[in-house]
Amino acid sequence: MTKRVIVIGAGAAGLIAAGRAAEVGAEVILLEKMAEAGKKILVSGQERCNITNSAPVEKFLEHYGRNGQFLRNAYHRFFRNELLALLARYGVETQEERGGRIFPASGRAGDVRDALLRYATTQGTAIRYRTEVQRILVADGEVIGVQLQNGEHIPAHAVILATGGASWPTTGSTGDGYRMAQELGHTIVPLRPALVPLTVAERALAKALQGVSLRNVRCTFTAQKGDGPAKALRIPYPMPPTGEMLFTHFGVSGPLILTASLAVVDALRSGARVTLSIDLKPGMTEQEVHARLQREFEEHPQRLLSNLLKGWVPTALAEVLAGLSGVAADRPVHTIRAEERARIVALLKGFRWQITDSLPLATGMVTAGGVALKEVDPVSFESRLIRGLHIVGETLDIAADTGGFNLQAAFSSGYLAGEHAGGEHGR
């Protein structure tokens, strides 16, 4: 008898899971509540789709923090090379860019979505759009099918839960999978936004700097509880020594901020006060900054402070730094005393902000938290609680930083779940 597999969610993990389950001989029904497949794929990577990364597997796993080892078995079976070969089979050539990021050569996320859709459908997957699942049906600890919102029951031998996270709800990721898994007894690790911009207490200052982008700066976060000492915040993902960030009307964003954001969110939720210090000149020591500034003051004594600082930082930031130093921006630099110059140096090496929060979960690029990994088999992605239920992608408690790591986790977990649910391994 042919096995029937139902896949819930036609995103990255769901499409590849459906394709693989059908490829190994199952009858596959893919249920998608939206009017089209892969809406989150279409907006990923600024609509270019950062598919994966060229980092070797050991470095790759570091980008998931403490949960990275859960993916080791999956990456041994289906990793970057296998994924890129599959996409090439369906017409998607790729190219590597800065930071090892791999994109479709066309620069169009739609090409990736369409290739995965062709994979699923040419293997025989039947897709039903605008079809929302209410719950997964179980009897005696085994999956027996699903119940739709309209009351219809669809029997199945296995179900793959690939509903995504709870961020970007306009793409269909509204957290349905967490509710369905929890109803079946699964533990849901608290959901938090990851790869999300942060808000600051100094809102007026942020607004004055809105749109200012900084390159080659160093960002350091410290957390302080009560009257205890401030400690450097441990960032779970590899943090480059320098990088880019952006000021917004509410606070800070950009690659460095997004990478650190989950650690900041967790620290804030623990009751800590979090401070961001931006080293605007990380390539120079404080003494070197002081010496260079003094030399420029001597070489251009009549130059106004704000004009001189424009040679160091963007114009809007030069004016803000002058104001924060307590030195009038229109003062000629030859009138600036040593202690005033020291305050300017301190700002260049440690421009501080008080972090108050992050933007809401719905705005995060990724949802952290989800189904507890201890309750899922890392080889088959089958639930350890319910036979025939497989849980994949962002529905799991897996979140990585930017660079193609989150999509690779979705693709690998989906592929392995499809293979086990649809093949001879499965029930």
Side-chain angles (χ1 to χ4, degrees):
M1 180 180 69
T2 302
K3 293 174 63 177
R4 174 182 283 177
V5 176
I6 291 176
V7 181
I8 308 174
L15 285 169
I16 203 167
R20 185 55 178 162
E23 191 172 29
V24 297
E27 174 197 354
V28 181
I29 303 172
L30 176 53
L31 305 176
E32 171 54 52
K33 70 178 182 180
M34 305 298 282
E36 65 176 316
K39 291 197 73 173
K40 195 168 182 180
I41 296 174
L42 296 178
V43 298
S44 66
Q46 297 181 326
E47 300 183 359
R48 297 179 60 229
C49 190
N50 184 183
I51 303 164
T52 185
N53 195 284
S54 65
V57 67
E58 293 301 328
K59 291 291 184 184
F60 211 101
L61 292 173
E62 291 177 5
H63 288 267
Y64 302 88
R66 60 184 175 83
N67 288 340
Q69 294 305 313
F70 179 82
L71 293 167
R72 182 177 293 278
N73 284 313
Y75 287 172
H76 179 72
R77 174 69 183 85
F78 184 85
F79 190 42
R80 175 182 53 245
N81 290 346
E82 291 78 16
L83 170 63
L84 297 182
L86 188 153
L87 290 173
R89 200 165 97 207
Y90 289 89
V92 176
E93 297 302 320
T94 56
Q95 62 186 23
E96 182 177 338
E97 299 184 12
R98 183 170 57 94
R101 291 168 165 81
I102 296 176
F103 293 86
S106 66
R108 295 190 298 267
D111 291 350
V112 177
R113 190 278 306 268
D114 293 347
L116 294 170
L117 202 50
R118 285 196 298 275
Y119 174 48
T121 55
T122 58
Q123 296 300 331
T125 298
I127 305 180
R128 291 177 58 175
Y129 294 107
R130 297 188 176 90
T131 303
E132 189 166 354
V133 175
Q134 174 62 31
R135 63 192 182 100
I136 298 165
L137 303 173
V138 172
D140 299 323
E142 294 188 2
V143 161
I144 60 171
V146 301
Q147 178 184 318
L148 305 183
Q149 285 283 15
N150 64 10
E152 178 186 353
H153 286 203
I154 306 176
H157 299 93
V159 169
I160 300 175
L161 189 57
T163 50
S167 54
W168 293 17
T170 55
T171 66
S173 296
T174 55
D176 301 337
Y178 305 126
R179 172 185 55 78
M180 285 186 259
Q182 192 168 39
E183 287 174 351
L184 298 178
H186 275 286
T187 303
I188 305 300
V189 176
L191 307 182
R192 298 98 70 207
L195 304 182
V196 65
L198 303 173
T199 64
V200 298
E202 302 85 355
R203 195 63 64 93
L205 204 58
K207 193 169 184 179
L209 292 171
Q210 180 179 355
V212 173
S213 178
L214 301 178
R215 294 186 176 184
N216 301 317
V217 297
R218 178 179 297 123
C219 289
T220 304
F221 291 89
T222 55
Q224 183 178 22
K225 285 191 175 183
D227 296 327
K231 297 181 179 179
L233 197 58
R234 181 183 174 276
I235 311 300
Y237 310 133
M239 189 80 166
T242 62
E244 301 176 17
M245 63 161 291
L246 171 72
F247 291 107
T248 68
H249 68 282
F250 53 79
V252 287
S253 187
L256 287 177
I257 303 300
L258 297 179
T259 296
S261 62
L262 178 56
V264 173
V265 168
D266 286 343
L268 290 170
R269 291 193 176 192
S270 74
R273 297 190 301 279
V274 178
T275 300
L276 163 64
S277 177
I278 307 168
D279 186 344
L280 298 165
K281 292 296 172 184
M284 303 170 69
T285 66
E286 190 166 327
Q287 292 74 19
E288 288 169 337
V289 171
H290 199 286
R292 177 180 154 185
L293 201 60
Q294 184 175 4
R295 185 170 64 252
E296 291 188 9
F297 280 18
E298 293 169 353
E299 292 173 352
H300 308 283
Q302 298 304 322
R303 186 170 293 179
L304 304 183
L305 175 61
S306 60
N307 290 336
L308 185 138
L309 287 177
K310 289 173 188 176
W312 291 68
V313 295
T315 298
L317 182 53
E319 294 173 355
V320 165
L321 291 179
L324 291 174
S325 72
V327 181
D330 59 356
R331 271 179 63 182
V333 296
H334 75 87
T335 69
I336 295 174
R337 300 185 301 274
E339 63 270 21
E340 293 174 321
R341 187 168 63 245
R343 292 203 296 270
I344 297 168
V345 171
L347 283 166
L348 288 168
K349 291 297 290 179
F351 186 20
R352 294 180 180 276
W353 298 78
Q354 193 69 37
I355 306 299
T356 56
D357 204 349
S358 72
L359 291 191
L361 176 59
T363 65
M365 293 171 62
V366 176
T367 304
V371 175
L373 299 183
K374 65 182 180 181
E375 298 171 357
V376 178
D377 186 291
V379 175
S380 64
F381 292 86
E382 185 174 20
S383 164
R384 297 187 189 274
L385 308 183
I386 306 294
R387 292 187 297 279
L389 172 64
H390 300 256
I391 306 172
V392 297
E394 204 174 341
T395 311
L396 294 167
D397 180 24
I398 295 174
D401 61 349
T402 58
F405 306 103
N406 288 292
L407 270 178
Q408 181 67 63
F411 290 133
S412 294
S413 61
Y415 189 92
L416 268 293
E419 183 169 276
H420 283 81
E424 295 180 358
H425 323 272
R427 173 168 78 83

